[in-house]
Amino acid sequence: MRILTGNDLKTGAVTWWTGSDWSLHVEDAVDVTGSEDEIARREESARRVNAPYAIDATMDEGSPRPSHIKDRVRAIGPTVRPDLTLKPADPDIGNWVI
Amino acid sequence: MYKYDSYDQQMVDARVEEFRDQARRRLEGKLTEDQFKPLRLMNGLYLQLHAYMLRVAIPYGTLDSRQMHALADIADKYDRGYGHFTTRQNIQYNWIKLEDAPDILADLAKVEMHAIQTSGNCIRNISSDHFAGAAADEVVDPRPYAELLRQWSSFHPEFSYLPRKFKIAVIASDTDRAAMRLHDIGIQIVEQDGELGAAFYVGGGMGRTPMIAPCINPFVPLDQLVTYAEACLRVYNRHGRRDNKYKARIKILVHEMGAEEYTRQVEAEFAHLLEQGVEPPFAELERIRTFFEDPLFEADLPAEIDRSDPDFALWVDRNTVAHKAEGYVSAVISLKPVGGIPGDATAEQMHLMADLARDYSFDELRVMHTQNIVLPHVRKADLHALWTALDQAGLGSPNLDTVEDIIACPGLDYCSLANARSIPVAQQISERFAANGKTEALGQLKLKISGCINACGHHHAGHIGILGVDKKGVENYQLLLGGSEAEDVSLAKITGPGFDEAGIVDAVETAADVYLRERQDGERFLDTYRRIGMTPFKEALYG
Ligand code: HEM
Ligand code: SF4
């Protein structure tokens, strides 16, 4: 599958396209195969996202997992600062990232 | 320390307001990202893996307690309570919001700091010896010359759009503590027959094509320093490879053109420029120099240190360095606790270091290119109190220049250009050696890690270097041996096939064991490697 990601213009936070809006959580991302360019263009010009791009992902236990490690680090946060990630309480999150 | 005059302050203040307006227009949609990106980069604002990242310039790594407090306040107020000190003697914040960026720049301007020219194809922050003004072996304090060059290069219209970024380092002793010959221009202030002059080394660098800068002029009179630098830049600006980003650094030009031909063109340009009168009046250098006069060192201080506490004695042996004034030392605050993140400091730690600088070091701090902090002028009699305060805050690691004092770039945990993570490798190596107890026996062993070929972590210059690569989407690490950034400069060589994350930690230990087995009296790791060559290491690593 293809999912769409970018950054929030104001805060720089990593966001994911949910089909109707942008979410901080990669679990909310939807497949955009075929329409990624059109959505990216529209959302960027409306300033709802900054620097959007589409990436490959696979479904993993019911939610999308980016295929490349760089996008998985982006999705969660720095592996060396679990306290600053989106899942500070999840001890297994490192396995999802790596 | 240099103090801004009204011109400096006006330039910086005007830039803050200009950027405030640009950021507002971006947020209102009047500028597209393509239009805004070069503007934010000129103010050190990148878009990185998790948010905007702000790189703040610390000219030649020198700052006072007021500035360090301000950096801590920014970490607290606008970021997540910490900052990352870098190999270019700067600081980076990883979680910046665009809407806050103009206020941050305004806060910086209040303490005579900025983020101008910390990105882009311009002359970047000028680095120097972190022991400048304190070192027993310098011919003169190199910072007035670095400051003169800072003023010359700030907003220099001709050099704002160079073929590529440009990094200058200035030192003034034969011991090179600033990786001088791995810069686009390295300048060593030297003394010849009682006269001071500048030796110019041009065309060094790391990145994908590492090069050691050749000396193109061993003695430029100091009242022609800026003119000569201008000539070096002009020839580069004219002939640098703008057609290919990967060949655009000056090192490629000097290499392709040949150092001799490059030097010939520089000398011709220099002769021409001498007639134009571009050199600032010598009085300006004299004015700058007055800001760098020695603090009032006390005379007749005790030279002895009470070493009855063994932990303290170890820290003194490892982390303090001889000072030019009797009764004083330079003390290094390690930002490399075992298992920690090299170069990271919390806001509380920054506040503490600032207070300690005020109390014990004439209000001065330095950032080292090895991502540690220096208190340059500490009375020996104050060392125990200083160490006690540092130790309580997790800043007392006694590991300067040991295998635990690792340089690591942000790598894949923070950097969008990365292939692999650097920090976890550094953490595991420091934990491994702290546990196996070999650190002491290994002595000086400089280990440097980069998460990609750009070499921000100086891996080419490590006695042991590690380079993160992407092997079909999986992190992989190449091992390099035999580099040095110091006066015995050399480029490290790759041992062979790479290793996975666990494998690279083992490989470093294996290489260290070869040294322990093979070394002769007084040899450092690097010396043994240079004597016995790569083969014994390869045999141990790959069997
Ligand atoms: C995370 C954001 C960063 C980005 C995007 C970045 C980007 C780059 C790039 C593209 C180069 C190669 C330039 C070339 O060869 O033309 C480079 C080189 C370098 N960077 Fe960074 N870097 C980052 C962070 C850092 C940090 C944190 C440090 C210090 C720890 C640093 C210090 C250096 C140094 C020393 C070099 C080598 C300079 C040379 O080639 O002569 N950078 N960086
Ligand atoms: S070396 Fe590569 S991974 Fe490390 S900070 Fe530089 S660009 Fe990023």
Side-chain angles (χ1 to χ4, degrees):
Chain A
M1 67 191 287
R2 300 277 289 168
I3 59 178
L4 201 55
T5 181
N7 296 78
D8 184 76
L9 175 62
K10 274 192 217 166
T11 65
V14 174
T15 57
W16 308 88
W17 175 245
T18 68
S20 58
D21 202 351
W22 294 88
S23 164
L24 294 176
H25 304 284
V26 69
E27 300 92 291
D28 300 336
V30 293
D31 191 1
V32 292
T33 307
S35 53
E36 51 261 55
D37 291 347
E38 183 207 321
I39 301 170
R41 217 174 302 122
R42 186 190 69 215
E43 291 295 309
E44 185 166 34
S45 61
R47 278 174 288 129
R48 285 188 288 263
V49 69
N50 191 18
Y53 60 99
I55 58 167
D56 289 329
T58 52
M59 282 311 269
D60 176 57
E61 296 181 7
S63 52
R65 181 172 187 264
S67 301
H68 199 278
I69 180 174
K70 188 177 291 182
D71 297 306
R72 297 196 294 273
V73 175
R74 277 185 83 242
I76 300 298
T79 63
V80 292
R81 287 295 302 266
D83 56 318
L84 300 181
T85 63
L86 287 179
K87 313 235 164 166
D90 182 347
D92 296 326
I93 195 64
N95 300 334
W96 183 91
V97 174
I98 302 308
Chain B
M1 258 187 67
Y2 184 71
K3 291 271 162 247
Y4 277 10
D5 64 14
S6 59
Y7 293 106
D8 294 304
Q9 193 67 50
Q10 269 171 27
M11 276 162 70
V12 171
D13 290 344
R15 180 50 98 73
V16 172
E17 288 319 305
E18 183 182 52
F19 184 67
R20 190 182 292 288
D21 184 56
Q22 290 162 345
R24 179 184 57 76
R25 285 187 285 151
R26 174 68 187 122
L27 289 167
E28 287 171 359
K30 291 177 183 147
L31 292 174
T32 64
E33 185 64 11
D34 285 347
Q35 291 165 329
F36 181 63
K37 187 175 173 186
L39 303 176
R40 67 167 159 75
L41 287 176
M42 282 180 193
N43 293 286
L45 194 65
Y46 291 69
L47 190 56
Q48 278 300 324
L49 222 45
H50 309 296
Y52 294 96
M53 181 274 274
L54 182 69
R55 182 181 291 159
V56 176
I58 301 175
Y60 31 88
T62 295
L63 68 176
D64 62 18
S65 65
R66 186 178 62 124
Q67 292 172 320
M68 187 62 117
H69 280 304
L71 294 177
D73 287 337
I74 287 169
D76 249 346
K77 190 168 167 195
Y78 304 106
D79 203 89
R80 299 197 177 178
Y82 70 107
H84 179 73
F85 289 97
T86 80
T87 46
R88 298 226 65 255
Q89 300 177 297
N90 290 329
I91 185 169
Q92 294 185 179
Y93 298 102
N94 297 302
W95 304 92
I96 296 300
K97 297 182 171 73
L98 175 57
E99 47 188 1
D100 289 337
D103 290 339
I104 301 174
L105 297 184
D107 287 359
L108 287 170
K110 281 184 205 138
V111 294
E112 304 177 22
M113 296 184 90
H114 60 72
I116 298 162
Q117 290 180 209
T118 60
S119 174
N121 295 334
C122 53
I123 302 175
R124 304 288 188 89
N125 188 36
I126 292 171
S127 53
S128 186
D129 186 339
H130 42 252
F131 295 137
D137 61 354
E138 70 187 13
V139 299
V140 66
D141 187 338
R143 292 172 302 161
Y145 310 97
E147 172 58 27
L148 184 71
L149 291 167
R150 184 192 74 79
Q151 297 190 13
W152 160 76
S153 61
S154 295
F155 298 115
H156 193 308
E158 189 178 331
F159 305 138
S160 295
Y161 295 96
L162 293 166
R164 198 77 179 85
K165 59 167 89 165
F166 206 91
K167 301 179 181 177
I168 301 177
V170 186
I171 65 172
S173 56
D174 287 334
T175 307
D176 182 357
R177 290 173 284 257
M180 184 271 287
R181 291 186 69 188
L182 297 172
H183 282 72
D184 297 282
I185 293 182
I187 294 173
Q188 182 181 349
I189 309 294
V190 291
E191 194 170 354
Q192 223 176 61
D193 307 324
E195 287 285 308
L196 290 178
F200 269 70
Y201 294 83
V202 182
M206 289 182 256
R208 69 180 55 222
T209 324
M211 302 258 186
I212 295 169
C215 183
I216 70 157
N217 190 328
F219 195 87
V220 176
L222 284 184
D223 57 0
Q224 299 174 348
L225 177 74
V226 167
T227 310
Y228 203 83
E230 182 110 6
C232 292
L233 263 298
R234 272 209 167 168
V235 174
Y236 167 55
N237 209 11
R238 192 174 297 147
H239 298 297
R241 294 279 304 271
R242 287 175 194 271
D243 62 308
N244 182 340
K245 180 175 160 186
Y246 300 119
K247 301 198 165 176
R249 295 288 291 264
I250 193 173
K251 61 192 171 188
I252 306 291
L253 177 72
V254 173
H255 183 72
E256 287 184 349
M257 189 180 250
E260 225 167 276
E261 173 58 15
Y262 172 77
T263 309
R264 193 192 63 73
Q265 295 201 20
V266 168
E267 293 291 337
E269 187 62 43
F270 178 56
H272 167 69
L273 282 170
L274 280 178
E275 291 165 13
Q276 312 285 307
V278 300
E279 191 73 28
F282 204 62
E284 176 59 12
L285 184 56
E286 291 300 326
R287 183 187 76 90
I288 291 172
R289 219 182 259 132
T290 60
F291 292 101
F292 293 94
E293 273 162 13
D294 281 348
L296 291 172
F297 296 124
E298 291 167 52
D300 305 322
L301 289 175
E304 289 306 307
I305 297 172
D306 176 0
R307 303 171 54 90
S308 49
D309 177 340
D311 290 342
F312 169 62
L314 179 66
W315 180 81
V316 170
D317 290 341
R318 290 237 184 100
N319 283 42
T320 65
V321 176
H323 196 283
K324 66 182 181 187
E326 217 167 311
Y328 288 85
V329 291
S330 298
V332 174
I333 304 174
S334 169
L335 297 183
K336 317 288 177 69
V338 173
I341 299 179
D344 274 13
T346 65
E348 298 79 62
Q349 289 175 328
M350 288 188 241
H351 281 307
L352 176 73
M353 291 189 284
D355 287 339
L356 294 172
R358 182 201 56 209
D359 294 346
Y360 298 122
S361 183
F362 295 94
D363 209 36
E364 252 197 69
L365 306 107
R366 310 286 174 77
V367 182
M368 299 171 77
H369 83 269
T370 55
Q371 303 177 288
N372 295 313
I373 303 292
V374 176
L375 299 185
H377 318 292
V378 182
R379 287 193 305 198
K380 287 180 178 171
D382 289 334
L383 278 175
H384 193 269
L386 171 66
W387 171 77
T388 306
L390 289 172
D391 201 41
Q392 282 168 2
L395 291 169
S397 302
N399 56 14
L400 178 66
D401 287 343
T402 69
V403 67
E404 294 171 29
D405 183 13
I406 301 169
I407 291 184
C409 78
L412 191 52
D413 282 296
Y414 291 101
C415 175
S416 54
L417 302 175
N419 286 324
R421 291 170 302 151
S422 313
I423 298 167
V425 174
Q427 290 174 313
Q428 288 170 50
I429 292 172
S430 70
E431 280 164 355
R432 170 73 64 92
F433 283 92
N436 69 20
K438 294 178 186 171
T439 302
E440 176 72 36
L442 288 167
Q444 189 195 88
L445 206 181
K446 298 187 185 177
L447 204 156
K448 310 186 191 230
I449 311 176
S450 305
C452 81
I453 195 78
N454 287 323
C456 303
H458 291 191
H459 63 274
H460 301 295
H463 298 180
I464 297 180
I466 295 174
L467 167 63
V469 294
D470 179 336
K471 200 172 168 192
K472 300 197 182 99
V474 178
E475 296 168 297
N476 194 264
Y477 298 92
Q478 290 180 344
L479 185 69
L480 297 90
L481 300 177
S484 170
E485 84 294 353
E487 59 284 359
D488 59 353
V489 61
S490 59
L491 299 172
K493 290 199 176 62
I494 295 176
T495 54
F499 303 88
D500 64 13
E501 190 180 331
I504 191 68
V505 180
D506 292 341
V508 168
E509 186 169 4
T510 303
D513 287 342
V514 172
Y515 158 69
L516 291 176
R517 190 184 72 214
E518 300 286 339
R519 71 173 163 185
Q520 296 177 353
D521 267 1
E523 275 185 345
R524 302 168 299 163
F525 179 93
L526 182 62
D527 304 321
T528 302
Y529 169 83
R530 285 175 175 171
R531 179 173 53 79
I532 68 176
M534 186 66 101
T535 311
F537 291 94
K538 274 192 163 173
E539 279 166 5
L541 288 162
Y542 303 105

